[in-house]
Amino acid sequence: MQGHGPKRIYTPQSIEFWFTKLEDDWELHFSPAQLAAGRRLYVEGEVRELELSDHDAIIHRRVDKHDQYAVIEWAEGGTPTVRSSTTDRELAHALAIAGLHEIEELVADEASALPETAQLGTDVLRRAAGPSAAGGHGNGQHDHAAASVVRIGSGHGSPAAPTAANGHRSAVLADVAKARTLCLVFKTTADGLTFEAHWAGPDKKREPALGAAAHAGGNGHVTSAERAKLIGLAAYARKAHFAYHADTGLYTLGSVVEIPNFLRGTLVTWKKLFTTELDADTARLGEGTKGIEIEAVAVRRAGGDEGALDLRWIFKAGERLLTDAEVDALLKRGVNPAILPGVGIVSLPAEKLASLNTWRRDIAETHADGTLPPWLIFSLFNDTRFKLTLSSELEAWRQGVLTSASVVAALPEILRPYQRRGVEWLHHLCDVGCHSLLADEMGLGKTLQVLSLLAARPVPAHPGLIVCPASVVPVWREEIARHFPGLAVEVLKAGHDFAAPALPLAAPALWLASYAQLRKHRSLLPGTEFGYAVLDEGQFIKNPDAKVTQTCFAIRARHRLVLTGTPLENRQLDLWSIFRFLLPGLLGSRTAFAAALHTDRDATLKRLRAQLAPFLLRRTKNEVAQELPPKVEMDLLCPLTEVQRAQYAEICREGLERLGNDVGTALREKSFGFLALLTRLRQTCCDPDMLPWLNTPLADSGKLSLLAEKLAEIVGSGHKVVIFSQFVMLLDRVRALLAEKFPDLQRFELTGMTLDRQKPVAAFQHAAGAAVMLVSLKAAGTGITLHAADYVFLLDPWWNPAVEAQAVDRVHRIGQKKTVFVYRMVTAGTIEERIQALKAEKKEMFDRVVGGLGGDFDLGRHFASLQELVQLTTAHVEPEAAL
């Protein structure tokens, strides 16, 4: 019996009348739109009261404190007619349809419990002869779907409405005596849980109860009691959200989420009303949803692709391995639970599915030909969402990669112990078919280590390729001539390239190429396979979108190496680009790499450390070069003159008026103006004469005045000094300062305009007595040695500590005999001082992986307002205090 829903008022006669009417397919008398609207009212529990008589029905609804009703009557021709309190014909018919569904439910509740034997018939009759008003009250929403009731086709055996209680009782008992058992046979399909209904007679013979088969061969004859069971079944099926398919006679519950609840709860009630049979698969559905485990099984591929992987993905539900067809069906469902016959209800956890899809997508991007290199197992090993099983051969290979490098004979005697270990490490990774990043700190001899490797482990019949900045090509030639004169060297240039006629060389050439020249000769790369491809100053390929980076990606080589003392300058993507060249696929696709950092930065950095460890070697001077003297670094706070202070305050005021006070908005929407403001403030901090509207004496720069005072002491004692700046204009002012204050001091310069870099470097290195070298940071990053100096001034320290480190390491490197003093000249109370504090955080990030997985500064995160970033504070440093 119903425990909620509309109030029901009915009599036994009205139940019998409406029972006979429900045999007809009354839905044929209404339009699809009316049926849909009526089912919605029914499902949403809009019917408030149901009043039945033996000739009509009144359906009540309450809307906005007003009553609505519809009256259903049956015309002589068997057609329902509808009258209503509303003039809206569509609404009237919808309310009538909702009422007919409620009548079906009532009849089912009253008739579906007809007993199987005549001895139990009195219970039904006693209930049918009960009070004239029966039913329940309540406003709860119906818990059933808006599906139409199954229609019973024939109508044979339908009793006429009795005119007295005795006639009614006799008709019911007669039908009960002839009633067959209704048996529901449940089966599991990929579409859901299904059942079909059968009649089972006393002889146990079964006949279809529903669908076309129920009417074939005269099987459509049913008694009133049997019709009641079918109507009841339809009502119960509708409540449980089963859908009926007239063509097959099957009921299907397609909601995977609802199936376990039906089997564990609703089916218990059904078993009291019907005979049920469940196959083994259906019983498994009641166990609920099972999670799927994903395992990768990797073996070495046999055949031509030596070392390549064969990777097979295994999906398991408990101990049951899924077939390929089952896996395909599961993947089509995504994270939604799916039914697999023979397994039950299964689902792929969202994080595992996402990881699997990402991994497959990454492989498609980085290895389109389907050949998987063995180093990819290191990517899989660090994904805890997968279990990875390796063949014994592959596991032995992995352990070999992780094993310490063995001793290599015949290495040059000039190698220091740590350099020898570096060459052995490079040699070992070449032997196991992997590629390496040598990230030793500046000045530890990466060039010598690589040349030692090439000499000790040549690749027959294959030329070598070393790519470096144009300014460093002479350095490589000099090192080769000094230590390995037997190596044949060629420089890539117009008219002299890989496609030139055979060169008169005893061995394959070692090609030296600048990044610019290599880009110009990109079309030749697909036709040449190198033994070694070495990228010196590998940070040159930090931008994956740059043409020079794409050119390097196109290099074909047996062994690939990258050298850099600053593997990360600004962003984590710098490191991704380097390893895209070295070990494609190890760090996944660019998109996935960036997404992982955005989603969980700390976990991603931890995983990267583990993934990169076997292929990256970084040593610092403090760790290995014990013979190097100490390096003392300090910030030298500089004062502002009155001219600087006034200009700084005015530039700040105008900038805030123009850009507003929101840092993020200024960066996004007014980036050019924002950068212009920062540049003007930096120029003011260094020397107000750099401002285009001023022409000031040297004394108006507090930074130059302090520099002159420091130099007086240093050069007076005979020391050599290197002065770095990003601004060539500022170096010009320093030259003027030196000419005025120290006219006899030896001066040398190295900027981006210097054509022969080695000439001023050699002159400075061999100069007797005190000397000063003025160097632009852009020109100082690579390829020069200035260890004759022991004092360094950084006139305008700014964003990137890696660039500063490169410059300082021109002085503090192998061969330095003295303690090196490094002064960063920072103007107190200004933007320079605030940026210097942020750089400390960036250096800490740099040290997290290789000295680095830092990132661009997010000024909006560090400063609440633009004013906080640029404003001039009350800090005031007198020149004598700075000393």
Coordinates of all heavy atoms in Angstrom, one line a residue, residues 416-442:
R416 N 90.5 17.2 -13.0 CA 90.4 17.1 -11.5 C 89.5 15.9 -11.1 O 88.8 15.4 -12.0 CB 89.9 18.4 -11.0 CG 90.8 19.6 -11.1 CD 90.2 20.8 -10.6 NE 91.2 21.9 -10.5 CZ 91.5 22.7 -11.5 NH1 91.0 22.5 -12.7 NH2 92.4 23.7 -11.3
P417 N 89.6 15.4 -9.9 CA 88.8 14.3 -9.5 C 87.3 14.4 -9.8 O 86.7 13.5 -10.3 CB 89.1 14.1 -8.0 CG 90.5 14.7 -7.8 CD 90.5 15.9 -8.8
Y418 N 86.7 15.5 -9.5 CA 85.3 15.7 -9.7 C 85.0 15.7 -11.2 O 84.0 15.3 -11.7 CB 84.8 16.9 -9.0 CG 85.1 18.2 -9.7 CD1 84.3 18.8 -10.7 CD2 86.3 18.9 -9.3 CE1 84.7 20.0 -11.3 CE2 86.6 20.1 -9.9 CZ 85.8 20.7 -10.9 OH 86.1 21.8 -11.5
Q419 N 86.0 16.3 -12.0 CA 85.8 16.3 -13.5 C 85.9 14.9 -14.0 O 85.1 14.5 -14.9 CB 86.8 17.2 -14.1 CG 86.6 18.7 -13.8 CD 87.8 19.5 -14.3 OE1 88.9 19.1 -14.4 NE2 87.5 20.8 -14.7
R420 N 86.8 14.1 -13.5 CA 86.9 12.7 -13.9 C 85.5 11.9 -13.6 O 85.0 11.2 -14.5 CB 88.0 12.0 -13.2 CG 88.2 10.5 -13.5 CD 89.4 9.9 -12.9 NE 90.6 10.5 -13.4 CZ 91.3 10.0 -14.5 NH1 90.8 8.9 -15.1 NH2 92.4 10.5 -15.0
R421 N 85.0 12.2 -12.4 CA 83.7 11.5 -12.1 C 82.6 12.0 -13.0 O 81.7 11.3 -13.4 CB 83.3 11.8 -10.6 CG 84.2 11.2 -9.6 CD 83.7 11.2 -8.2 NE 83.5 12.6 -7.8 CZ 84.5 13.3 -7.1 NH1 85.7 12.7 -6.9 NH2 84.3 14.5 -6.7
G422 N 82.7 13.3 -13.4 CA 81.7 13.8 -14.4 C 81.7 13.1 -15.7 O 80.7 12.7 -16.3
V423 N 83.0 12.9 -16.2 CA 83.2 12.2 -17.5 C 82.7 10.8 -17.4 O 82.0 10.3 -18.3 CB 84.6 12.3 -18.0 CG1 84.8 11.5 -19.3 CG2 85.1 13.7 -18.2
E424 N 83.0 10.1 -16.3 CA 82.5 8.7 -16.1 C 81.0 8.6 -16.1 O 80.4 7.7 -16.6 CB 83.2 8.2 -14.9 CG 84.7 8.0 -15.0 CD 85.4 7.6 -13.7 OE1 84.7 7.8 -12.7 OE2 86.5 7.1 -13.8
W425 N 80.4 9.6 -15.5 CA 78.9 9.7 -15.4 C 78.3 9.9 -16.8 O 77.4 9.2 -17.2 CB 78.5 10.8 -14.5 CG 77.0 11.0 -14.4 CD1 76.1 10.2 -13.6 CD2 76.2 12.0 -15.0 NE1 74.9 10.7 -13.7 CE2 74.9 11.7 -14.6 CE3 76.5 13.0 -15.9 CZ2 73.8 12.6 -15.1 CZ3 75.5 13.8 -16.3 CH2 74.1 13.6 -15.9
L426 N 78.9 10.8 -17.6 CA 78.4 11.0 -18.9 C 78.6 9.7 -19.8 O 77.7 9.3 -20.5 CB 79.2 12.1 -19.6 CG 78.9 13.5 -19.0 CD1 79.9 14.5 -19.6 CD2 77.5 14.0 -19.3
H427 N 79.8 9.1 -19.6 CA 80.1 7.9 -20.3 C 79.1 6.8 -20.0 O 78.6 6.1 -20.9 CB 81.5 7.4 -19.9 CG 82.1 6.4 -20.8 ND1 81.7 5.1 -20.9 CD2 83.2 6.5 -21.7 CE1 82.5 4.4 -21.8 NE2 83.4 5.3 -22.3
H428 N 78.7 6.6 -18.7 CA 77.8 5.6 -18.3 C 76.4 5.8 -18.9 O 75.8 4.8 -19.4 CB 77.7 5.6 -16.8 CG 76.6 4.8 -16.2 ND1 76.7 3.4 -16.2 CD2 75.5 5.1 -15.6 CE1 75.6 2.9 -15.7 NE2 74.9 3.9 -15.3
L429 N 75.9 7.0 -18.9 CA 74.6 7.3 -19.5 C 74.6 7.0 -21.0 O 73.6 6.5 -21.5 CB 74.1 8.7 -19.2 CG 73.6 8.9 -17.7 CD1 73.1 10.3 -17.6 CD2 72.6 7.9 -17.3
C430 N 75.7 7.3 -21.7 CA 75.7 7.0 -23.1 C 75.7 5.4 -23.3 O 75.0 4.9 -24.2 CB 77.0 7.5 -23.7 SG 77.1 9.3 -23.9
D431 N 76.4 4.7 -22.4 CA 76.4 3.2 -22.5 C 75.0 2.6 -22.3 O 74.7 1.6 -23.0 CB 77.3 2.6 -21.5 CG 78.8 2.9 -21.8 OD1 79.1 3.2 -23.0 OD2 79.7 2.7 -20.9
V432 N 74.2 3.2 -21.5 CA 72.8 2.7 -21.2 C 71.8 3.3 -22.1 O 70.6 3.0 -21.9 CB 72.4 2.8 -19.7 CG1 73.4 2.0 -18.8 CG2 72.4 4.3 -19.3
G433 N 72.2 4.1 -23.1 CA 71.2 4.6 -24.0 C 70.4 5.8 -23.5 O 69.3 6.1 -24.1
C434 N 70.9 6.6 -22.6 CA 70.2 7.7 -22.0 C 71.0 9.0 -22.3 O 72.2 8.9 -22.7 CB 69.9 7.6 -20.6 SG 68.8 6.3 -20.1
H435 N 70.4 10.1 -22.1 CA 71.0 11.4 -22.4 C 71.1 12.3 -21.2 O 70.3 12.0 -20.2 CB 70.2 12.1 -23.5 CG 69.9 11.2 -24.7 ND1 70.9 10.8 -25.6 CD2 68.8 10.6 -25.0 CE1 70.3 10.0 -26.5 NE2 69.1 9.8 -26.1
S436 N 72.0 13.2 -21.1 CA 72.3 13.8 -19.8 C 72.4 15.3 -19.8 O 72.7 16.0 -20.9 CB 73.7 13.3 -19.4 OG 74.6 13.4 -20.4
L437 N 72.1 15.9 -18.7 CA 72.2 17.3 -18.4 C 73.4 17.5 -17.4 O 73.2 17.1 -16.2 CB 70.9 17.9 -17.9 CG 71.0 19.3 -17.3 CD1 71.4 20.3 -18.4 CD2 69.6 19.7 -16.7
L438 N 74.5 18.1 -17.9 CA 75.6 18.4 -17.0 C 75.4 19.9 -16.5 O 75.5 20.8 -17.3 CB 76.9 18.2 -17.7 CG 78.2 18.5 -16.9 CD1 78.2 17.6 -15.6 CD2 79.4 18.3 -17.7
A439 N 75.0 20.1 -15.3 CA 74.6 21.4 -14.8 C 75.6 21.9 -13.7 O 75.2 22.6 -12.8 CB 73.2 21.3 -14.2
D440 N 76.8 21.5 -13.8 CA 77.8 22.0 -12.9 C 77.8 23.6 -12.9 O 77.6 24.2 -13.9 CB 79.2 21.6 -13.3 CG 79.4 20.1 -12.9 OD1 78.6 19.6 -12.2 OD2 80.4 19.5 -13.4
E441 N 78.1 24.1 -11.7 CA 78.2 25.5 -11.5 C 79.2 26.1 -12.5 O 80.2 25.4 -12.9 CB 78.5 25.9 -10.1 CG 78.2 27.3 -9.7 CD 78.3 27.5 -8.2 OE1 79.1 26.8 -7.6 OE2 77.6 28.4 -7.6
M442 N 79.0 27.4 -12.8 CA 79.9 28.1 -13.7 C 81.4 27.9 -13.2 O 81.6 28.0 -12.0 CB 79.6 29.6 -13.8 CG 78.2 29.9 -14.4 SD 78.3 29.6 -16.1 CE 76.6 30.0 -16.5

